[in-house]
Amino acid sequence: MTPIDLGTERHLPEAASIPALCAVDGPCVSVYLGSHRAGSGTQPAAARLRAVLNTVDAWARQKGVLDPDREALLAPLRELEQDPELSYGQGGGFALFRSPGMLRQFRLPGSDFEQATLSGRFEILPALRFVAINREFYLLTLTQKKIRLLRCGPLGIEEIELGSVIPTDFTEFLALEQPD
């Protein structure tokens, strides 16, 4: 049996991950679930994932996929239903790609797209637009009281510690104080 590539990091899809998805032969399950917002009337992702996987299971039966193969294909996806982040409706949209030798999960922030497919190849087209937004940049903020470096990306903003070598306020930067 081929070991499963569990590349299940929850990050945005990157251009480097697309060729590996394209090279896989089926059966391939592709699942896209949009973001859940509390009070929006949508079910938490875990419940929607369960319903989608039941549909995919029925499709696999119709296509003649044998019970042991079907169960082996869907079991890792069913384990994801137990993820607390999905059960409590937290987190943004995501995509799952599952074949007999691979399981990949990607975050798709702000996505409201929902789709599931079972075919000979992964359905990657909806994920491609997120490859384009997976960009990171840095922002240097300067005020008289503080100097900060921020790392900005599609998943949020994070302050980078400058350490003791780099001045952290304008006075220190201009070295206006006389040395002792």
Side-chain angles (χ1 to χ4, degrees), residues 102-177:
M102 177 185 285
L103 172 61
R104 292 288 163 88
Q105 179 178 352
F106 297 107
R107 291 182 63 181
L108 305 177
S111 171
D112 58 358
F113 181 74
E114 300 215 359
Q115 174 182 318
T117 61
L118 172 65
S119 67
R121 299 270 182 221
F122 288 123
E123 178 63 42
I124 63 165
L125 197 56
L128 290 181
R129 78 179 174 112
F130 291 92
V131 170
I133 68 166
N134 191 9
R135 300 290 183 253
E136 187 174 84
F137 63 93
Y138 293 86
L139 179 65
L140 181 64
T141 65
L142 303 170
T143 67
Q144 290 185 351
K145 295 185 178 184
K146 192 163 188 175
I147 297 173
R148 299 186 310 159
L149 181 62
L150 305 173
R151 181 183 356 218
C152 306
L155 299 178
I157 299 172
E158 172 188 10
E159 184 171 353
I160 305 297
E161 289 296 322
L162 297 175
S164 61
V165 177
I166 299 173
T168 56
D169 64 47
F170 200 65
T171 305
E172 187 180 334
F173 175 73
L174 294 176
L176 295 177
E177 293 183 19

Side-chain angles (χ1 to χ4, degrees), residues 78-117:
R78 293 201 187 278
E79 287 176 19
L80 292 173
E81 293 175 22
Q82 307 308 315
D83 185 329
E85 196 171 295
L86 298 181
S87 298
Y88 298 110
Q90 301 301 311
F94 61 92
L96 300 170
F97 299 100
R98 174 72 174 118
S99 69
M102 177 185 285
L103 172 61
R104 292 288 163 88
Q105 179 178 352
F106 297 107
R107 291 182 63 181
L108 305 177
S111 171
D112 58 358
F113 181 74
E114 300 215 359
Q115 174 182 318
T117 61

Side-chain angles (χ1 to χ4, degrees), residues 11-22 104 106 128 131 134-135:
H11 56 76
L12 287 166
E14 297 173 352
S17 61
I18 300 302
L21 292 172
C22 292
R104 292 288 163 88
F106 297 107
L128 290 181
V131 170
N134 191 9
R135 300 290 183 253

